[in-house]
Coordinates of all heavy atoms in Angstrom, one line a residue:
S22 N -168.7 50.0 117.8 CA -168.7 51.4 117.9 C -167.6 52.0 117.0 O -167.9 52.9 116.2 CB -168.6 51.8 119.3 OG -168.4 53.2 119.4
D23 N -166.4 51.6 117.2 CA -165.3 52.1 116.4 C -165.5 51.8 114.9 O -165.2 52.6 114.0 CB -163.9 51.6 116.8 CG -163.5 52.2 118.1 OD1 -164.0 53.2 118.5 OD2 -162.6 51.6 118.8
F24 N -166.0 50.6 114.6 CA -166.2 50.2 113.3 C -167.3 51.1 112.6 O -167.1 51.5 111.5 CB -166.6 48.7 113.2 CG -167.1 48.3 111.8 CD1 -166.1 48.0 110.9 CD2 -168.4 48.1 111.5 CE1 -166.5 47.6 109.6 CE2 -168.8 47.7 110.2 CZ -167.8 47.5 109.3
L25 N -168.3 51.3 113.3 CA -169.4 52.2 112.8 C -168.9 53.6 112.6 O -169.3 54.2 111.6 CB -170.6 52.2 113.8 CG -171.4 50.8 113.9 CD1 -172.5 50.9 114.9 CD2 -171.9 50.4 112.5
L26 N -168.1 54.1 113.4 CA -167.6 55.4 113.3 C -166.7 55.5 112.0 O -166.7 56.4 111.2 CB -166.8 55.9 114.5 CG -166.2 57.3 114.5 CD1 -167.3 58.3 114.3 CD2 -165.4 57.5 115.8
R27 N -165.8 54.5 111.9 CA -164.9 54.4 110.7 C -165.8 54.3 109.4 O -165.5 55.0 108.4 CB -164.0 53.3 110.8 CG -162.8 53.5 111.6 CD -161.7 52.5 111.5 NE -162.1 51.1 111.6 CZ -162.2 50.4 112.7 NH1 -161.9 51.0 113.8 NH2 -162.7 49.2 112.7
E28 N -166.8 53.5 109.4 CA -167.7 53.4 108.3 C -168.4 54.7 107.9 O -168.5 55.1 106.8 CB -168.7 52.3 108.5 CG -168.1 50.9 108.3 CD -167.6 50.7 106.9 OE1 -168.3 51.0 105.9 OE2 -166.4 50.3 106.8
E29 N -168.8 55.4 108.9 CA -169.5 56.7 108.7 C -168.5 57.7 108.1 O -168.8 58.4 107.2 CB -170.0 57.2 110.0 CG -170.8 58.6 109.9 CD -171.3 59.1 111.2 OE1 -171.3 58.4 112.2 OE2 -171.7 60.3 111.2
R30 N -167.3 57.7 108.6 CA -166.3 58.6 108.1 C -165.9 58.3 106.7 O -165.8 59.1 105.8 CB -165.0 58.6 109.0 CG -165.2 59.2 110.3 CD -165.3 60.7 110.3 NE -165.4 61.2 111.6 CZ -166.2 62.1 112.0 NH1 -167.1 62.6 111.2 NH2 -166.2 62.5 113.3
K31 N -165.8 57.0 106.4 CA -165.5 56.5 105.0 C -166.6 57.0 104.1 O -166.3 57.5 103.0 CB -165.4 55.0 105.0 CG -165.2 54.4 103.7 CD -165.2 52.9 103.8 CE -165.2 52.2 102.4 NZ -165.3 50.8 102.5
Q32 N -167.9 56.9 104.5 CA -169.0 57.3 103.6 C -168.9 58.8 103.4 O -169.2 59.3 102.3 CB -170.3 56.9 104.2 CG -170.5 55.4 104.1 CD -170.4 54.8 102.7 OE1 -170.9 55.4 101.8 NE2 -169.7 53.7 102.6
Q33 N -168.6 59.6 104.4 CA -168.5 61.0 104.3 C -167.4 61.4 103.4 O -167.5 62.3 102.5 CB -168.2 61.6 105.7 CG -169.4 61.6 106.6 CD -169.1 62.0 108.0 OE1 -168.0 61.8 108.5 NE2 -170.1 62.4 108.7
V34 N -166.2 60.7 103.4 CA -165.1 61.0 102.5 C -165.6 60.7 101.1 O -165.3 61.4 100.1 CB -163.9 60.2 102.9 CG1 -162.8 60.3 101.8 CG2 -163.3 60.8 104.2
L35 N -166.2 59.5 100.9 CA -166.6 59.1 99.5 C -167.7 60.1 99.0 O -167.6 60.5 97.8 CB -167.2 57.7 99.6 CG -166.2 56.6 99.8 CD1 -166.9 55.2 100.0 CD2 -165.2 56.5 98.7
Q36 N -168.6 60.6 99.8 CA -169.5 61.6 99.4 C -168.8 62.9 99.1 O -169.2 63.5 98.1 CB -170.6 61.8 100.5 CG -171.7 62.8 100.1 CD -172.7 63.0 101.1 OE1 -172.8 62.3 102.1 NE2 -173.6 63.9 100.9
G37 N -167.9 63.3 99.9 CA -167.1 64.5 99.6 C -166.4 64.4 98.3 O -166.4 65.3 97.5
L38 N -165.7 63.3 98.0 CA -165.1 63.1 96.7 C -166.0 63.1 95.6 O -165.7 63.7 94.5 CB -164.3 61.8 96.8 CG -163.0 61.8 97.6 CD1 -162.5 60.3 97.7 CD2 -161.9 62.7 97.1
A39 N -167.2 62.5 95.8 CA -168.2 62.5 94.7 C -168.7 63.9 94.3 O -169.1 64.1 93.2 CB -169.4 61.6 95.1
E40 N -168.6 64.8 95.3 CA -169.1 66.2 95.0 C -168.1 67.1 94.4 O -168.4 68.2 94.0 CB -169.6 66.8 96.3 CG -170.9 66.1 96.8 CD -171.5 66.7 98.1 OE1 -171.1 67.8 98.4 OE2 -172.3 66.0 98.7
M41 N -166.9 66.6 94.3 CA -165.8 67.4 93.7 C -165.7 67.2 92.2 O -166.3 66.3 91.6 CB -164.4 66.9 94.3 CG -164.3 67.1 95.7 SD -162.7 66.5 96.3 CE -161.6 67.7 95.6
E42 N -165.1 68.1 91.5 CA -164.9 68.0 90.1 C -164.0 66.9 89.8 O -163.1 66.5 90.6 CB -164.3 69.3 89.5 CG -165.2 70.5 89.6 CD -164.5 71.8 89.0 OE1 -163.7 71.6 88.1 OE2 -164.9 72.9 89.5
E43 N -164.2 66.3 88.6 CA -163.4 65.1 88.3 C -161.9 65.3 88.3 O -161.1 64.5 88.8 CB -163.8 64.6 86.9 CG -163.1 63.3 86.5 CD -163.6 62.8 85.1 OE1 -164.5 63.4 84.5 OE2 -163.0 61.8 84.7
I44 N -161.4 66.4 87.8 CA -160.0 66.7 87.8 C -159.4 66.8 89.2 O -158.3 66.3 89.5 CB -159.6 68.0 86.9 CG1 -158.1 68.1 86.8 CG2 -160.2 69.2 87.6 CD1 -157.5 67.1 85.8
D45 N -160.2 67.3 90.1 CA -159.7 67.4 91.5 C -159.6 66.0 92.1 O -158.7 65.7 92.8 CB -160.7 68.3 92.3 CG -160.6 69.7 91.9 OD1 -159.6 70.2 91.4 OD2 -161.6 70.4 92.1
R46 N -160.6 65.2 91.8 CA -160.6 63.8 92.3 C -159.4 63.1 91.7 O -158.7 62.3 92.4 CB -161.9 63.0 91.9 CG -163.0 63.3 92.8 CD -164.1 62.3 92.6 NE -164.5 62.2 91.2 CZ -165.5 62.9 90.6 NH1 -166.1 63.8 91.3 NH2 -165.8 62.8 89.3
E47 N -159.1 63.2 90.4 CA -158.0 62.6 89.8 C -156.7 62.9 90.4 O -155.9 62.1 90.7 CB -158.0 62.9 88.3 CG -159.1 62.2 87.5 CD -158.9 60.7 87.5 OE1 -157.8 60.2 87.3 OE2 -159.9 60.0 87.6
V48 N -156.5 64.2 90.7 CA -155.2 64.6 91.3 C -155.1 64.0 92.6 O -154.0 63.5 92.9 CB -155.2 66.2 91.4 CG1 -154.0 66.6 92.3 CG2 -155.1 66.8 90.0
L49 N -156.1 64.0 93.4 CA -156.0 63.4 94.8 C -155.8 61.9 94.7 O -155.0 61.3 95.5 CB -157.2 63.7 95.6 CG -157.4 65.2 96.0 CD1 -158.7 65.4 96.7 CD2 -156.2 65.7 96.8
I50 N -156.5 61.2 93.8 CA -156.3 59.8 93.7 C -154.9 59.4 93.2 O -154.3 58.5 93.8 CB -157.4 59.2 92.7 CG1 -158.8 59.3 93.3 CG2 -157.0 57.8 92.2 CD1 -159.9 59.0 92.4
L51 N -154.4 60.2 92.2 CA -153.1 59.9 91.8 C -152.0 60.1 92.8 O -151.1 59.3 93.0 CB -152.8 60.7 90.5 CG -153.6 60.3 89.3 CD1 -153.3 61.3 88.1 CD2 -153.2 58.9 88.8
R52 N -152.2 61.2 93.6 CA -151.2 61.5 94.6 C -151.3 60.7 95.8 O -150.3 60.2 96.4 CB -151.3 63.0 94.9 CG -150.9 64.0 93.8 CD -149.4 64.0 93.4 NE -148.5 64.2 94.5 CZ -148.1 65.4 94.9 NH1 -148.6 66.5 94.3 NH2 -147.3 65.6 95.9
H53 N -152.5 60.4 96.3 CA -152.7 59.7 97.6 C -152.9 58.2 97.5 O -152.4 57.5 98.3 CB -153.8 60.3 98.4 CG -153.5 61.7 99.0 ND1 -152.8 61.8 100.2 CD2 -153.7 62.9 98.5 CE1 -152.6 63.1 100.4 NE2 -153.1 63.8 99.4
F54 N -153.6 57.8 96.5 CA -153.9 56.3 96.4 C -152.9 55.6 95.5 O -152.5 54.5 95.8 CB -155.3 56.1 96.0 CG -156.3 56.7 97.0 CD1 -157.1 57.8 96.7 CD2 -156.4 56.2 98.3 CE1 -158.0 58.3 97.6 CE2 -157.3 56.7 99.2 CZ -158.1 57.8 98.9
E55 N -152.6 56.3 94.4 CA -151.6 55.7 93.5 C -150.2 56.0 93.9 O -149.2 55.4 93.4 CB -151.9 56.1 92.1 CG -153.2 55.8 91.5 CD -153.4 54.3 91.4 OE1 -152.4 53.6 91.1 OE2 -154.6 53.8 91.5
L56 N -150.0 56.9 94.9 CA -148.7 57.3 95.4 C -147.7 57.8 94.3 O -146.5 57.5 94.4 CB -148.1 56.2 96.2 CG -148.9 55.6 97.4 CD1 -148.2 54.5 98.0 CD2 -149.2 56.7 98.4
L57 N -148.3 58.5 93.4 CA -147.5 59.1 92.3 C -146.9 60.4 92.7 O -147.5 61.1 93.6 CB -148.3 59.3 91.0 CG -148.9 58.0 90.4 CD1 -149.6 58.3 89.1 CD2 -147.8 57.0 90.1
S58 N -145.8 60.8 92.1 CA -145.1 62.0 92.4 C -145.9 63.1 91.7 O -146.8 62.9 90.8 CB -143.7 62.0 91.9 OG -143.7 62.0 90.5
N59 N -145.6 64.4 92.0 CA -146.2 65.5 91.3 C -145.8 65.5 89.8 O -146.7 65.7 89.0 CB -145.7 66.8 91.9 CG -146.4 68.0 91.4 OD1 -147.6 68.1 91.5 ND2 -145.7 68.9 90.7
D60 N -144.6 65.1 89.5 CA -144.2 65.1 88.1 C -145.0 64.0 87.3 O -145.4 64.2 86.2 CB -142.7 64.8 88.0 CG -141.8 66.0 88.4 OD1 -142.4 67.1 88.4 OD2 -140.7 65.8 88.7
E61 N -145.1 62.8 88.0 CA -145.9 61.7 87.3 C -147.4 62.1 87.1 O -148.0 61.9 86.1 CB -145.8 60.5 88.2 CG -144.4 59.9 88.2 CD -144.3 58.8 89.3 OE1 -144.8 58.9 90.4 OE2 -143.6 57.8 89.0
T62 N -147.9 62.8 88.2 CA -149.3 63.2 88.1 C -149.5 64.3 86.9 O -150.4 64.2 86.2 CB -149.8 63.8 89.4 OG1 -149.7 62.8 90.4 CG2 -151.2 64.4 89.4
A63 N -148.5 65.2 86.9 CA -148.6 66.2 85.8 C -148.5 65.6 84.4 O -149.3 65.9 83.5 CB -147.4 67.2 86.0
M64 N -147.6 64.6 84.3 CA -147.5 63.9 83.0 C -148.8 63.2 82.6 O -149.3 63.3 81.5 CB -146.3 62.9 83.0 CG -146.1 62.3 81.7 SD -144.7 61.1 81.8 CE -145.4 59.8 82.7
I65 N -149.4 62.5 83.5 CA -150.6 61.7 83.2 C -151.8 62.6 82.9 O -152.5 62.3 82.0 CB -151.0 60.8 84.4 CG1 -150.0 59.7 84.5 CG2 -152.4 60.3 84.3 CD1 -150.1 58.8 85.8
L66 N -151.9 63.8 83.6 CA -153.0 64.7 83.4 C -152.7 65.7 82.3 O -153.5 66.5 82.0 CB -153.3 65.4 84.7 CG -153.9 64.4 85.8 CD1 -154.1 65.2 87.0 CD2 -155.1 63.7 85.3
G67 N -151.5 65.7 81.7 CA -151.1 66.7 80.7 C -151.0 68.1 81.2 O -151.3 69.0 80.5
L68 N -150.5 68.2 82.4 CA -150.3 69.5 83.1 C -148.8 69.8 83.2 O -148.0 68.9 83.2 CB -151.0 69.5 84.5 CG -152.4 69.2 84.5 CD1 -152.9 69.0 86.0 CD2 -153.2 70.3 83.9
T69 N -148.5 71.1 83.4 CA -147.1 71.4 83.8 C -146.9 71.0 85.3 O -147.9 70.8 86.0 CB -146.9 72.9 83.7 OG1 -147.7 73.6 84.6 CG2 -147.1 73.4 82.3
R70 N -145.7 70.9 85.7 CA -145.4 70.6 87.1 C -146.0 71.6 88.1 O -146.6 71.2 89.1 CB -143.9 70.6 87.3 CG -143.5 70.3 88.7 CD -142.0 70.4 88.9 NE -141.3 69.6 87.9 CZ -140.0 69.6 87.8 NH1 -139.2 70.4 88.5 NH2 -139.4 68.8 86.9
T71 N -145.9 72.9 87.7 CA -146.5 74.0 88.5 C -148.0 73.9 88.6 O -148.6 74.0 89.7 CB -146.1 75.3 88.0 OG1 -144.7 75.4 88.0 CG2 -146.7 76.5 88.9
A72 N -148.6 73.6 87.5 CA -150.1 73.5 87.4 C -150.6 72.3 88.2 O -151.6 72.4 89.0 CB -150.6 73.4 86.0
A73 N -149.8 71.2 88.2 CA -150.2 70.0 88.9 C -150.1 70.3 90.4 O -151.0 69.9 91.2 CB -149.4 68.8 88.5
S74 N -149.0 71.0 90.8 CA -148.9 71.4 92.2 C -150.0 72.3 92.7 O -150.6 72.0 93.8 CB -147.5 72.1 92.5 OG -146.5 71.2 92.3
N75 N -150.3 73.3 91.9 CA -151.4 74.2 92.3 C -152.7 73.5 92.4 O -153.5 73.7 93.3 CB -151.4 75.4 91.3 CG -150.2 76.3 91.4 OD1 -149.5 76.3 92.5 ND2 -149.9 77.0 90.4
R76 N -153.0 72.6 91.4 CA -154.2 71.9 91.4 C -154.3 71.0 92.6 O -155.4 70.8 93.2 CB -154.5 71.1 90.1 CG -155.8 70.5 90.1 CD -156.3 70.1 88.7 NE -156.6 71.2 87.9 CZ -157.8 71.9 87.9 NH1 -158.7 71.6 88.7 NH2 -158.0 72.8 87.0
Y77 N -153.2 70.4 93.0 CA -153.2 69.5 94.1 C -153.6 70.2 95.4 O -154.4 69.8 96.2 CB -151.8 68.8 94.3 CG -151.6 68.0 95.5 CD1 -152.4 66.8 95.7 CD2 -150.7 68.4 96.5 CE1 -152.2 66.1 96.8 CE2 -150.5 67.6 97.6 CZ -151.3 66.5 97.8 OH -151.1 65.7 98.9
I78 N -152.9 71.4 95.6 CA -153.2 72.2 96.8 C -154.6 72.6 96.8 O -155.3 72.5 97.9 CB -152.2 73.4 96.9 CG1 -150.8 72.9 97.2 CG2 -152.7 74.4 97.9 CD1 -149.7 73.9 96.9
R79 N -155.1 73.1 95.7 CA -156.5 73.6 95.6 C -157.5 72.4 95.8 O -158.5 72.5 96.5 CB -156.8 74.3 94.3 CG -156.2 75.7 94.2 CD -156.8 76.4 93.1 NE -156.7 75.7 91.8 CZ -155.7 75.8 90.9 NH1 -154.6 76.7 91.2 NH2 -155.6 75.2 89.8
S80 N -157.1 71.2 95.3 CA -158.0 70.0 95.5 C -158.1 69.6 97.0 O -159.2 69.3 97.4 CB -157.4 68.9 94.7 OG -157.5 69.1 93.3
L81 N -157.0 69.7 97.7 CA -157.0 69.4 99.1 C -157.9 70.4 99.9 O -158.7 70.1 100.7 CB -155.6 69.5 99.7 CG -154.7 68.3 99.4 CD1 -153.3 68.5 100.0 CD2 -155.3 67.0 100.0
Q82 N -157.8 71.7 99.5 CA -158.6 72.7 100.1 C -160.1 72.5 99.8 O -160.9 72.7 100.7 CB -158.2 74.1 99.7 CG -156.8 74.5 100.2 CD -156.2 75.7 99.5 OE1 -156.6 76.1 98.4 NE2 -155.3 76.4 100.2
R83 N -160.4 72.1 98.5 CA -161.8 71.9 98.2 C -162.3 70.7 98.9 O -163.5 70.7 99.4 CB -161.9 71.7 96.7 CG -161.7 72.9 95.9 CD -161.9 72.7 94.4 NE -161.7 73.9 93.7 CZ -160.8 74.1 92.7 NH1 -160.0 73.1 92.4 NH2 -160.7 75.2 92.1
L84 N -161.5 69.6 99.0 CA -161.9 68.4 99.8 C -162.2 68.8 101.2 O -163.2 68.3 101.8 CB -160.9 67.3 99.7 CG -161.3 66.0 100.4 CD1 -162.6 65.4 99.9 CD2 -160.1 65.0 100.3
E85 N -161.4 69.6 101.8 CA -161.6 70.0 103.2 C -162.9 70.7 103.3 O -163.7 70.5 104.2 CB -160.4 70.9 103.7 CG -160.6 71.3 105.1 CD -159.4 72.2 105.6 OE1 -158.7 72.7 104.7 OE2 -159.3 72.4 106.8
A86 N -163.2 71.6 102.4 CA -164.4 72.4 102.4 C -165.6 71.5 102.2 O -166.6 71.6 102.9 CB -164.4 73.5 101.3
V87 N -165.5 70.6 101.3 CA -166.7 69.7 101.0 C -166.9 68.8 102.2 O -168.1 68.6 102.6 CB -166.4 68.9 99.7 CG1 -167.4 67.8 99.5 CG2 -166.4 69.8 98.5
L88 N -165.8 68.3 102.8 CA -166.0 67.4 103.9 C -166.6 68.2 105.1 O -167.5 67.6 105.8 CB -164.7 66.8 104.3 CG -164.2 65.7 103.4 CD1 -162.8 65.2 103.9 CD2 -165.2 64.5 103.3
S89 N -166.2 69.4 105.3 CA -166.8 70.2 106.4 C -168.3 70.3 106.2 O -169.1 70.2 107.1 CB -166.2 71.6 106.4 OG -164.8 71.5 106.8
E90 N -168.7 70.6 104.9 CA -170.1 70.7 104.6 C -170.8 69.4 104.8 O -171.9 69.4 105.4 CB -170.3 71.2 103.1 CG -171.7 71.4 102.7 CD -171.8 71.9 101.3 OE1 -170.9 72.7 100.9 OE2 -172.7 71.5 100.6
V91 N -170.3 68.3 104.3 CA -170.9 67.0 104.4 C -171.1 66.6 105.8 O -172.1 66.1 106.3 CB -170.1 65.9 103.6 CG1 -170.5 64.5 104.0 CG2 -170.2 66.1 102.1
M92 N -170.0 66.8 106.6 CA -170.1 66.4 108.1 C -171.0 67.3 108.8 O -171.6 66.9 109.8 CB -168.7 66.5 108.7 CG -167.8 65.4 108.2 SD -166.1 65.6 108.9 CE -165.4 64.1 108.3
G93 N -171.2 68.5 108.4 CA -172.2 69.4 109.0 C -173.6 69.0 108.7 O -174.5 69.3 109.5
R94 N -173.9 68.2 107.7 CA -175.2 67.8 107.3 C -175.7 66.6 108.2 O -176.8 66.3 108.3 CB -175.3 67.3 105.9 CG -175.2 68.4 104.9 CD -175.4 67.8 103.5 NE -174.6 68.5 102.6 CZ -174.1 68.0 101.5 NH1 -174.4 66.8 101.1 NH2 -173.4 68.7 100.7
T95 N -174.7 65.9 108.8 CA -175.1 64.7 109.5 C -175.4 65.0 111.0 O -175.2 66.0 111.5 CB -174.0 63.6 109.5 OG1 -172.8 64.2 110.1 CG2 -173.7 63.1 108.1

């Protein structure tokens, strides 16, 4: 039961990420999975520190919105 619930949530997150713009996915991947700092993320993506911070915050908000929509479909 717990395993199935985790798998369902995992699929919902993957679907949510797939529905996001590539740059939003990149920011989230670099910050959360690669554990890079904001400065490192900015350098890799060719953004200013402020732009990287703003994009990160907006990306989290977009992911939250997309996940709410995806979870509402199930």
Side-chain angles (χ1 to χ4, degrees):
S22 170
D23 287 340
F24 174 77
L25 292 176
L26 183 58
R27 281 193 308 273
E28 282 301 307
E29 182 180 348
R30 294 285 184 227
K31 177 182 170 184
Q32 290 305 314
Q33 289 169 332
V34 169
L35 291 174
Q36 183 178 353
L38 287 169
E40 291 182 17
M41 295 178 71
E42 292 182 29
E43 184 175 355
I44 188 74
D45 292 332
R46 279 193 306 270
E47 285 295 319
V48 167
L49 293 175
I50 288 167
L51 291 172
R52 294 293 303 274
H53 285 276
F54 299 112
E55 299 294 330
L56 303 176
L57 297 181
S58 69
N59 187 60
D60 290 340
E61 292 167 322
T62 300
M64 185 179 72
I65 289 171
L66 296 176
L68 301 171
T69 66
R70 179 186 305 175
T71 302
S74 289
N75 291 339
R76 185 161 291 277
Y77 174 65
I78 291 167
R79 285 192 308 267
S80 295
L81 285 175
Q82 292 168 339
R83 287 184 182 120
L84 180 60
E85 182 180 16
V87 168
L88 287 177
S89 293
E90 184 179 320
V91 167
M92 289 177 172
R94 289 186 215 152
T95 59

